Amino acid sequence: MRSAGFLPALVGLATAADVWVNEVDTGLETFLYGANWTEGTQPALKDMRAISDFDFAARQKLGDFEYGFYRVAAGGEWSYRNNLEVWSKVKFRPQHLTDVTKVNETLKTTILGYEFSAPVFIAPAARGGYGDERGELNFVEAAAAENILYSPSIYATKTIEEIASVKANNTLNGPQVIFQQIYTNTNLSVTWDVIERAERTGAKAFIWTVDAPASSTRHRAARYDTTNSNSATSAIDWSIYDQIKNHTKLPIILKGITSVELALKAVEKGAKAIYISNHGGRQVEYSPSPLEIAYEIHRNAPEVFQKVEVLADSGVRYGTDVLKLLSLGVRAVGMGRPFMYANTYGVEGVTKAIQMIKSEVLNDAAQIGISDLHNIPKNIANYRQLEDEVYLLPESK
Ligand SMILES: Cc1cc2nc3c(=O)[nH]c(=O)nc-3n(C[C@H](O)[C@H](O)[C@H](O)COP(=O)(O)O)c2cc1C
């Protein structure tokens, strides 16, 4: 059991401007101390009221080794913090007196033609077994219960076959749809084996992660000798994309898109979908947040959002974060760590986290005057601060 106290002493002193705290103060600790809670014990699931509460709760249960692997980010973790803080650069311009009574009917969406109840999904993340012995099985079951997409990592604790064996048959798509994440390492036969097994067990698309060409600098995890799951990597280039296409007819989604040039190239190469992500800040320090990347694509090549389906993740914790990405043309938004932390409560925890983000998306949309999540007017947000730093291609200037 891990002792509590990862910066807790600072929480009371923190002013948002100068001291970084790991998670926002949702009143959880104040509440727990008032309820005679003992540090190092996990609070009741009913006391989880915000996505960020799950970080605190997981820290109480997991060992330093396991929590460190989930929480770690690259370098001085600036990108990790930026992922969480950048949202404040976009302020809303709520358009009240809009009829928002039917916004709930617009929550559902499709991804590559498959139906889901909401534009949120469980991002691929390695070693689900650190959080709960059922590991990824909880993600499959919670995703089915809530009718959202889940993509297991190639480095899942459970095997592809074990994961497939708990898929539901009664989702919006009939049999549950999951996408399989893949890496391409020096030994490509590992990838080909995964592709073959995932196809055989019914995966409907591959998410090819392109942002891990080497081990990353991760001090918090190196302390416990837990480095990247994917440390033995090779050059990842477009010729490998062509090789993957020769091994599968399923759609390939490129994950780790961090610039407009990459997005345009993926469109040119015929990708059906792209996935904006800086891997939760875990790969390289000073990589941009999804909001900044989506804005860069929107400013330089807005047609990308029409030509391919765009997914995104990294630092999403609130319904408003989801709305900001959707407003730029992103189709669905993933979360990684929050679901890994929620998994410390098993399938009920993951289900609760999904319900939480769904209801925040709906409530926040209504508050802002969004009546249709598939047609969010640009005037509901002020992007001026992103404009100050956006990279413009020479031809866009
Ligand atoms: C513990 C952990 C393991 C991860 N493993 C993988 C992986 O195996 N493959 C991958 O493409 N992304 C992996 N990711 C990145 C996630 O897919 C996602 O991009 C990231 O977690 C999003 O940021 P967030 O945690 O702030 O939501 C991992 C993330 C975490 C936290």
Side-chain angles (χ1 to χ4, degrees), residues 72-76 214-220 222 228 281-285:
V72 74
S215 287
S216 56
T217 305
R218 295 182 182 174
H219 298 143
R220 197 185 291 276
N228 303 49
R282 293 166 76 83
Q283 291 307 109
V284 66
E285 187 62 303

Side-chain angles (χ1 to χ4, degrees), residues 22-39:
N22 192 56
E23 62 263 342
V24 291
D25 178 10
T26 63
L28 176 62
E29 280 184 83
T30 309
F31 171 82
L32 290 175
Y33 283 115
N36 290 324
W37 166 75
T38 311
E39 272 191 35

Side-chain angles (χ1 to χ4, degrees), residues 1 62 99 115 135 145 165 170 172 187 211 247 254 262 268 281 306 309 337 379:
M1 183 127 352
L62 299 179
D99 179 5
E115 285 183 48
S165 73
N170 56 347
L172 288 176
N187 182 359
D211 63 7
H247 276 82
L254 283 85
L262 265 178
E268 185 192 316
Q306 268 73 56
E309 295 190 2
R337 292 181 188 83
N379 69 341

